[in-house]
Amino acid sequence: MSDIKKFMFVNRKAPHGTIYALESLEVVLITAAFDQDVSLVFLDDGVYQLKKGQQTKGIATKNFSPAYRALEGYDVEKLYVEKESMEARGLSEEDLLVDVTVLGRAEMGELMDQQDVVLSF
Amino acid sequence: MLHIINKAPLTNCALDSCLRVAQSGDILLIEDAVYAATSGNAFEGKIREALDRFKIYVLMPDLEARGLADRIIEGISPVDYGGFVDLTTTNKNCQSWL
Amino acid sequence: MKFGIVVNEGPYQHQASDTAYLFCKAAIEKGHEVWRVFFYHDGVNNASKLTEPPQDDRNIVNRWGKLNEEHGVDLVVCVAAALRRGIKEENLAKGFRISGLGQMVEAGVKTDRLIVFGD
């Protein structure tokens, strides 16, 4: 596959309550391996996926949050968080386990418009 | 961009978030999101405001299934599945707000 | 136009699979090509041949199979998601095949539009 497209993954769901966040991460890693231009967006409850200090031992599920830190190793470096979503949840950049670019809602909307493929789970 | 929404506006923030973030384009209401297209619902004010910025469509078979086909807010355009397909082709990209 | 479709929810539980199917049918009727439908998350349950809906209900699994038979739509079930949920070759319905997530990426690259149906 020689064609490179702009793939955006929009994460709007919190982790753990459902499997969407984990299985979405699996797709992101595969997409990067196909040499596509990958962006990740965290919007609404999706911002909770990036919260530092997640401990899943007590709910007996896999803690996949460290995997977000591994994204860089797959050349997935475009991580965007919407400012309004983050603030509405009482979070700031210091609460997040990876470096992200914080965008206002309008900038986020423009970024979405520029994509070829937008996937959400 | 075509924004596809499938959640009822009073139980889920998908439509609200779309209206907050999206800059322009078309919005298509399907499945439980069709409730947003009906007059008298508490979200109607926001829909009316949004009509100035977006063209809004509703998937009629979904509205008919829910017994509300006669309550479409003025300005919202009804489409069938063929119309849904057309909207995905006339817009250069699309996003499902799941 | 060439379409790719992603189905993220199981049949009967959520409307996503019905909407995706009716979209595919309408697209084909309009002369478009539905190149591939990729089943992910609980969507993999669309491919279980053990499904037996009541007589008076639609058969979602067979309906997908017919799209493959009559229009050559490639029905791909994600292997990782399928194994998690007990979908294997031995209970895979006719017309479906099990493969990797790369097939979803490929659908994004090779089609004009990739449309996601889910919850």
Side-chain angles (χ1 to χ4, degrees):
Chain A
M1 284 186 279
S2 54
D3 348 35
I4 296 179
K5 283 194 177 180
K6 285 179 169 221
F7 276 75
M8 176 181 271
F9 294 89
V10 180
N11 298 285
R12 293 186 52 252
K13 295 187 173 106
H16 313 305
T18 57
I19 197 173
Y20 299 105
L22 166 61
E23 286 191 329
S24 166
L25 199 51
E26 291 177 351
V27 187
V28 170
L29 297 176
I30 296 282
T31 308
F34 277 79
D35 293 323
Q36 299 298 309
D37 180 345
V38 177
S39 304
L40 260 75
V41 161
F42 298 87
L43 206 72
D44 296 327
D45 286 346
V47 179
Y48 289 130
Q49 293 179 23
L50 298 179
K51 177 68 182 64
K52 273 182 192 160
Q54 297 177 43
Q55 303 281 355
T56 61
K57 221 177 137 198
I59 59 168
T61 61
K62 183 170 156 185
N63 183 6
F64 58 94
S65 67
Y68 293 101
R69 284 209 199 94
L71 288 171
E72 213 180 348
Y74 291 84
D75 293 322
V76 178
E77 288 163 348
K78 296 183 206 169
L79 274 62
Y80 303 96
V81 167
E82 189 218 12
K83 189 167 179 279
E84 287 79 357
S85 296
M86 187 171 70
E87 289 176 357
R89 284 156 185 79
L91 299 175
S92 65
E93 275 184 80
E94 292 76 60
D95 291 310
L96 308 181
L97 46 80
V98 281
D99 288 333
V100 299
T101 304
V102 177
L103 296 180
R105 60 197 182 99
E107 292 169 292
M108 185 64 87
E110 277 160 27
L111 188 68
M112 286 171 172
D113 278 337
Q114 295 162 14
Q115 304 302 313
D116 296 312
V117 180
V118 181
L119 283 154
S120 42
F121 300 105
Chain B
M1 172 175 267
L2 174 65
H3 301 275
I4 304 166
I5 315 283
N6 73 340
K7 301 291 189 318
L10 302 182
T11 41
N12 186 292
C13 70
L15 179 54
D16 221 9
S17 295
C18 171
L19 297 180
R20 180 181 78 237
V21 172
Q23 293 306 292
S24 58
D26 294 335
I27 294 176
L28 172 64
L29 306 169
I30 67 169
E31 299 174 1
D32 283 352
V34 299
Y35 292 117
T38 60
S39 60
N41 92 87
F43 204 83
E44 185 177 356
K46 284 190 176 174
I47 285 282
R48 287 193 182 278
E49 271 173 41
L51 279 167
D52 295 336
R53 296 162 53 212
F54 302 94
K55 184 115 174 76
I56 304 181
Y57 299 84
V58 63
L59 191 60
M60 275 314 274
D62 275 333
L63 202 55
E64 284 161 3
R66 288 159 178 81
L68 288 159
D70 57 346
R71 303 230 184 133
I72 304 183
I73 295 169
E74 203 191 323
I76 295 183
S77 313
V79 291
D80 56 10
Y81 286 97
F84 182 175
V85 172
D86 291 343
L87 283 170
T88 63
T89 63
T90 52
N91 281 276
K92 74 173 177 30
N93 50 11
C94 65
Q95 171 171 196
S96 300
W97 288 73
L98 302 181
Chain C
M1 254 187 189
K2 202 165 162 176
F3 283 96
I5 305 291
V6 177
V7 177
N8 290 333
E9 295 299 326
Y12 304 105
Q13 174 75 19
H14 192 286
Q15 207 189 334
S17 175
D18 291 294
T19 308
Y21 171 78
L22 293 167
F23 179 93
C24 289
K25 242 183 83 186
I28 291 166
E29 273 164 21
K30 280 184 166 279
H32 299 295
E33 179 191 358
V34 178
W35 187 63
R36 175 174 294 160
V37 182
F38 190 87
F39 297 89
Y40 197 42
H41 298 290
D42 275 359
V44 298
N45 291 313
N46 280 278
S48 170
K49 75 171 176 197
L50 301 175
T51 308
E52 277 181 47
Q55 288 283 317
D56 60 350
D57 201 352
R58 69 229 188 270
N59 190 317
I60 294 183
V61 175
N62 292 350
R63 210 166 58 172
W64 283 121
K66 255 180 112 181
L67 270 194
N68 167 268
E69 197 183 312
E70 291 169 8
H71 303 283
V73 178
D74 190 18
L75 306 175
V76 183
V77 179
C78 169
V79 62
L83 288 177
R84 266 192 187 114
R85 294 163 176 87
I87 302 289
K88 296 181 170 190
E89 292 294 347
E90 61 207 71
N91 60 341
L92 193 70
K94 199 166 158 259
F96 292 84
R97 65 187 180 93
I98 295 179
S99 189
L101 270 175
Q103 304 274 307
M104 181 184 338
V105 183
E106 194 190 25
V109 174
K110 292 205 172 160
T111 62
D112 300 303
R113 299 285 186 277
L114 188 66
I115 322 282
V116 184
F117 295 89
D119 185 34

